[in-house]
Amino acid sequence: MQTPECYNLDAGCPLPLHTKALRGEIVDQKELLFRLQEIDITWDKVRQRLVKLQKFSGGSPSLLKAREQVAATEAELHHWRGEQNDAELEAQALSQRIKDTEDRLMSGQVQNPKELQSLQASVEAMRRQRVSVEDRSVEALMKAEELAARLQEQQEKLDRMETEWESKQAAIEEELEKRKQEYVYLKQLRAQVVAAIDADMLEQYEYLRQRKNGIAVAQLQEDACSACFMQVPTSVVSAVRRGEDLTYCPSCGRLLFSP
Ligand SMILES: [Zn+2]
């Protein structure tokens, strides 16, 4: 198994110690559990980082938001340009109908006074309608102009963000690849360390890790527990130093081992 480089995780890289564990230099079951715990803590961090990187690989939240804004403004602008176009076409059609009706009125072909009156009324109604349609057209035009200005502003901002993002993306992709390798490596390493641990010890470990905030095994450091920092009674210290199996910290209930 090839050892990947250490990626400066907060927990510190546990890998050199595990090489020792893998070579069989660590035989104490509790120390093996402690090393397993280091792997698990690192593995959790790698997993969390991977999730974050994967989320970011498509763009930062602010970039995604900027893209959405541009798309929304474009859609709105498209809508108002359509409205303006419709209104213009409607006004043109009305103008044509007004002209046709006026031509008929002027042609002298219509003699009936009632019909003449009706045509005249129709021309007036169409003129009023055209005014309202032209109003709509002007409103749509103004709205579209306002949106076009906003879109340009948003697009320029987005372009700057995209450029900035491109320079970061390469680094993110690179780290993502490394983290994936590290994830797989830790998974394999874990399986090998687990293979050297007795089943009942492993069960204790999993049980405690779930209930003790991810820390199942603590070290004895100057007669104190490294997890809860409480002083451990002399009798317990002696038992731990003798390497007795399953000696617990009386304060926090974690397994103790003496390095
Ligand atoms: Zn403790």
Side-chain angles (χ1 to χ4, degrees), residues 187-205:
K187 192 179 171 180
Q188 291 169 347
L189 185 64
R190 187 184 196 279
Q192 293 195 18
V193 172
V194 160
I197 300 171
D198 295 342
D200 55 341
M201 291 293 276
L202 196 61
E203 202 178 311
Q204 267 296 301
Y205 168 80

Side-chain angles (χ1 to χ4, degrees), residues 19-55:
T19 316
K20 275 172 80 181
L22 292 177
R23 284 203 302 260
E25 287 172 25
I26 299 172
V27 286
D28 180 71
Q29 286 286 302
K30 276 173 289 181
E31 185 169 359
L32 279 171
L33 282 186
F34 190 74
R35 300 309 172 200
L36 176 63
Q37 183 168 279
E38 285 177 319
I39 296 175
D40 281 340
I41 290 169
T42 312
W43 203 27
D44 284 347
K45 281 177 189 283
V46 170
R47 192 184 295 111
Q48 283 162 15
R49 183 75 185 148
L50 263 174
V51 168
K52 206 172 166 186
L53 286 169
Q54 272 164 345
K55 215 171 92 183

Side-chain angles (χ1 to χ4, degrees), residues 218 224-230 232 248-254 256:
C225 165
S226 68
C228 71
F229 308 113
M230 295 300 282
V232 177
Y248 299 91
C249 166
S251 303
C252 69
R254 293 182 173 94
L256 279 174

